[in-house]
Amino acid sequence: MPRPILARIHPDSVRHNLQLAKESAPNSRVWAVVKANAYGHGIERIYPALSKADGIALLDLDEAVRVRELGWTKPVLLLEGVFEPRDVEIADAHRLTVAVHCDEQLDLLTAAKPSRPIDIQLKMNSGMNRLGYRPGAYVQAWQRAREMAAIGEIGLMSHFANADDGAIDWQVDEFDAATKDLPGTRSLSNSAAVLWHPQAHRDWVRPGTILYGASPTGSVRHVTGFPLRAAMSLTSKIIGVQTLAPSETIGYGRTFQTEREMRIGVVACGYADGYPRHAPTGTPIAVDGIRTRIVGRVSMDMLTVDLTPCPAAGIGSRVELWGDQVKVDEVAEASGTIGYELMCALARRVPVEIDDASRLGESNDMRRTLVA
Ligand SMILES: *Cc1c(COP(=O)(O)O)cnc(C)c1O
């Protein structure tokens, strides 16, 4: 028998969360962001849930080609654009829209001879200071792009540094001032701006993390007004039980000491599965549907839980590491990170099942892809 750990992907939840994003930005088209293999969920697994999106945005050419091979005919956006001449050929062959954030990328497009003009999203660095043209250089870059035969439509795009904690108007103002005389669609908003900054919604929004049910701030309390559903649940089972006397310790480093007699459950899940090793004593977890806490240090293949709130639990009891009962954000926050990182870091050795595969496959082809 394989270890009892299992990640279950819920495409219906992605569909629900996408709908929520659309309702939050009702006048905008939606790029569904599926970079990093759909934030660890698997592009093929959630693809059927994206049918109402207007475009799909990602980073890797390989992922873009996979999306086309699944049959997606609407736009596909490469969020970091192209890196070498070969990329332009692939973008041309698969009708990809490419972000352009620097002159070197315009040079690549100048040198290329695509079969038809390639649509671009011209990226402005409005204050994030990662990728993009400075506001003062933006119009000139736009003019250069506009004169190039290889370029079709030019969308105007920027990205927020702190849409999750309030102030974004300084970036919106930079963007608006530098683009006021330019035609073209505008795209600014990540998940946080979709939820909280309607003034930034514009023509296209780009939600990522909320599609998967995680909070843009990394904290569940910030999304209590939005009934997001977890797109991934990570479950396992209790594989051992120890009854400890007062003053005994648990696991490596002996970081947790009992104050009284205590039943401890051993769960088949550790950091080699993607559970954060930094999760401290007290991190929430659910056993047989009852919330409790982990105790002691997370080891490679196992972690230990306090069975005090669930005295009926024993070997074989079902454990939810994260999902709809214990949000991935709760585990992340306790561990000093954000849900994004935990979802993306699910380890390859964890078996993955699709929740409603039977309802998804319209064709056998698709079903084959989904189970591959
Ligand atoms: C990742 C990314 C997004 C989505 O961000 P979320 O916070 O996950 O919604 C949007 N735009 C760009 C350019 C990105 O890189």
Side-chain angles (χ1 to χ4, degrees), residues 33 35 39 59 79 123 130 157 159 189-192 206-210 216 340:
V33 179
K35 61 192 180 187
Y39 291 49
L59 291 188
L79 287 164
K123 184 144 186 192
R130 225 171 40 175
M157 170 187 179
H159 194 52
S189 294
N190 55 8
S191 292
R206 305 188 306 269
T209 203
I210 54 173
Y340 297 62

Side-chain angles (χ1 to χ4, degrees), residues 156-174:
L156 316 181
M157 170 187 179
S158 196
H159 194 52
F160 293 124
N162 57 350
D164 51 336
D165 76 352
I168 62 157
D169 283 340
W170 61 286
Q171 280 190 266
V172 175
D173 292 347
E174 286 278 1

Side-chain angles (χ1 to χ4, degrees), residues 238 240-245 250 256 258 260-266 287 292-293 295 304-315 317:
I238 302 272
V241 175
Q242 300 288 341
T243 300
L244 303 187
I250 296 166
F256 181 81
T258 55
R260 49 184 163 76
E261 186 180 289
M262 239 179 128
R263 278 180 84 233
I264 298 298
V266 181
V287 178
T292 176
R293 57 178 181 149
V295 286
T304 37
V305 299
D306 179 1
L307 294 181
T308 312
C310 28
I315 289 182
S317 286

Side-chain angles (χ1 to χ4, degrees), residues 244-262:
L244 303 187
S247 298
E248 290 199 275
T249 63
I250 296 166
Y252 290 121
R254 311 184 71 190
T255 61
F256 181 81
Q257 187 172 38
T258 55
E259 287 174 352
R260 49 184 163 76
E261 186 180 289
M262 239 179 128

